[in-house]
Amino acid sequence: MTVVGPFGLSVRDQALETDVQAGLAAVEAGLLEATKSEVPFITEAAQHLVRAGGKRFRPLLVMLASRFGDPYAPGIVPSAVVVELTHLATLYHDDVMDEADVRRGVDSANARWGNSVAVLTGDFLFARASHILADLGPEAVRIQAEAFERLVTGQILETAGPRDGRDPVAHYLDVIAGKTGSLIAVSGRFGALMSGADESVVDILTHYGERLGTAFQLADDVLDIASDAHESGKTPGTDLREGIPTLPVLRLREMAARDGAPEDLDLVRLLDGDLTDDARHAEVLTRLRAHPALEQARRDTIRYAQDARATLAPLPECFAKSALEELCDAVVHRAG
């Protein structure tokens, strides 16, 4: 049993381990090649987050999904590069919107070079992803375009907030299905599609990726409250400070509105105040870490991860399927 990929995923087959490691190494080389420019400063900015590392969760999913067809098909590695470049581009843009200072344990691009450079670097990465995508055929272009539309729609929904009368938790789940689930779904879809897997398998791995992506984001929500900077690679409570309504906060508000407990109403009052104040932010973070709302968010994460695992049931038993099931367990483990 060997550990590879994000979260210490266990791979129990030597051939699968070797192929996954080789595939991820090829993706890494592809990312560095795709982020080169004739302008040295653009190369530096574009490779900033590539070189900072990361879990490479999406490329790993492409590699595992490809095992249900021909895992050596020529489109596998380029499609994995496409999804990771797209993901990296969104991080540059997200950090500008969130005014984040740290990403993956290093200065965010906007903190180092300013918002304009960060936004334009994200655009550069989108352009490079599109260039690679063009060689993968019109269906791949359409799939990526649909996912990108969902991703942007999710971001707009987050910015606009829920309509009057809409359940904020349901609205938020729609947001993350777009912002996170869509691209992870594409990772499963590209891996299966590029390998020539049966259409039914492509559908299963697409739905698996969607559910796993939601669980993945919910785990991040929990980590934003519960982790330290070493664990998450970014400043704890970043979303909290910026007023982003992640699931633990939404669950707190739900409990406060339903039960009216004075301590919950007081915590909501603090949340609605100025969380750029370090002392206030620290108090809210401490109280949320001890609040049942955080445990409820963990249970929500587990439920989506279990749904993702159940989606895999029709697939034939193999080491790749076992690894995909372990990804579900690993996501849950991240949430504690």
Side-chain angles (χ1 to χ4, degrees):
M1 181 173 72
T2 305
V3 172
V4 298
F7 327 129
L9 175 68
S10 298
V11 174
R12 294 179 171 84
D13 177 69
Q14 182 64 49
L16 177 59
E17 175 210 337
T18 300
D19 285 350
V20 167
Q21 294 281 23
L24 291 175
V27 169
E28 209 64 28
L31 289 170
L32 291 173
E33 183 62 31
T35 48
K36 287 180 181 176
S37 168
E38 294 179 358
V39 181
F41 175 68
I42 295 177
T43 301
E44 180 186 5
Q47 292 186 350
H48 178 62
L49 289 185
V50 174
R51 294 187 181 279
K55 294 175 285 291
R56 304 297 189 250
F57 183 84
R58 293 155 187 82
L60 175 63
L61 182 51
V62 174
M63 296 301 143
L64 292 175
S66 74
R67 305 301 298 189
F68 295 90
D70 175 9
Y72 310 111
I76 303 297
V77 169
S79 67
V81 172
V82 165
V83 292
E84 188 67 8
L85 281 175
T86 304
H87 170 58
L88 288 169
T90 66
L91 297 184
Y92 282 84
H93 288 181
D94 281 352
D95 285 346
V96 170
M97 296 186 69
D98 299 343
E99 299 179 2
D101 295 324
V102 177
R103 169 70 71 175
R104 295 183 172 176
V106 300
D107 290 344
S108 62
N110 49 298
R112 178 169 294 193
W113 294 297
N115 287 346
S116 294
V117 168
V119 170
L120 291 169
T121 302
D123 293 344
F124 176 80
L125 295 182
F126 283 132
R128 286 297 174 89
S130 298
H131 189 270
I132 297 168
L133 194 64
D135 292 331
L136 297 178
E139 185 176 6
V141 172
R142 178 182 57 78
I143 289 168
Q144 177 77 352
E146 290 173 353
F148 192 60
E149 179 183 346
R150 288 189 60 205
L151 195 157
V152 173
T153 298
Q155 184 65 70
I156 292 171
L157 287 173
E158 181 180 69
T159 303
R163 301 187 306 273
D164 288 344
R166 180 87 198 279
D167 174 23
V169 171
H171 171 83
Y172 180 66
L173 291 173
D174 284 346
V175 166
I176 62 175
K179 284 188 62 179
T180 305
S182 61
L183 194 57
I184 294 179
V186 166
S187 301
R189 188 171 185 178
F190 272 167
L193 182 68
M194 296 298 164
S195 74
D198 290 344
E199 186 176 346
S200 62
V201 173
V202 175
D203 289 343
I204 287 169
L205 290 169
T206 301
H207 292 307
Y208 164 83
E210 180 92 18
R211 288 163 174 78
L212 188 67
T214 297
F216 186 84
Q217 182 56 55
L218 296 183
D220 267 3
D221 287 0
V222 171
L223 280 171
D224 185 63
I225 302 298
S227 74
D228 58 28
H230 176 74
E231 266 186 287
S232 63
K234 65 178 185 178
T235 305
T238 296
D239 293 336
L240 192 66
R241 190 183 293 275
E242 298 304 323
I244 297 170
T246 58
L247 192 63
V249 171
L250 292 173
R251 288 303 189 195
L252 166 67
R253 293 185 183 277
E254 184 179 61
M255 291 175 183
R258 182 187 64 226
D259 303 329
E263 60 272 22
D264 290 354
L265 294 172
D266 181 61
L267 183 49
V268 168
R269 179 186 60 78
L270 286 172
L271 275 168
D272 290 337
D274 179 15
L275 292 183
T276 61
D277 178 81
D278 289 341
R280 189 184 192 113
H281 179 265
E283 180 183 355
V284 169
L285 195 58
T286 298
R287 290 176 63 177
L288 269 174
R289 283 171 173 168
H291 197 279
L294 185 62
E295 184 55 36
Q296 178 61 56
R298 284 193 176 101
R299 289 196 295 269
D300 293 327
T301 304
I302 292 169
R303 177 166 55 86
Y304 274 93
Q306 289 173 336
D307 286 348
R309 188 184 183 109
T311 302
L312 298 171
L315 294 180
E317 296 301 324
C318 60
F319 288 114
K321 180 179 178 179
S322 297
L324 291 170
E325 290 171 339
E326 286 202 21
L327 272 183
C328 300
D329 298 338
V331 167
V332 169
H333 180 71
R334 289 178 74 227

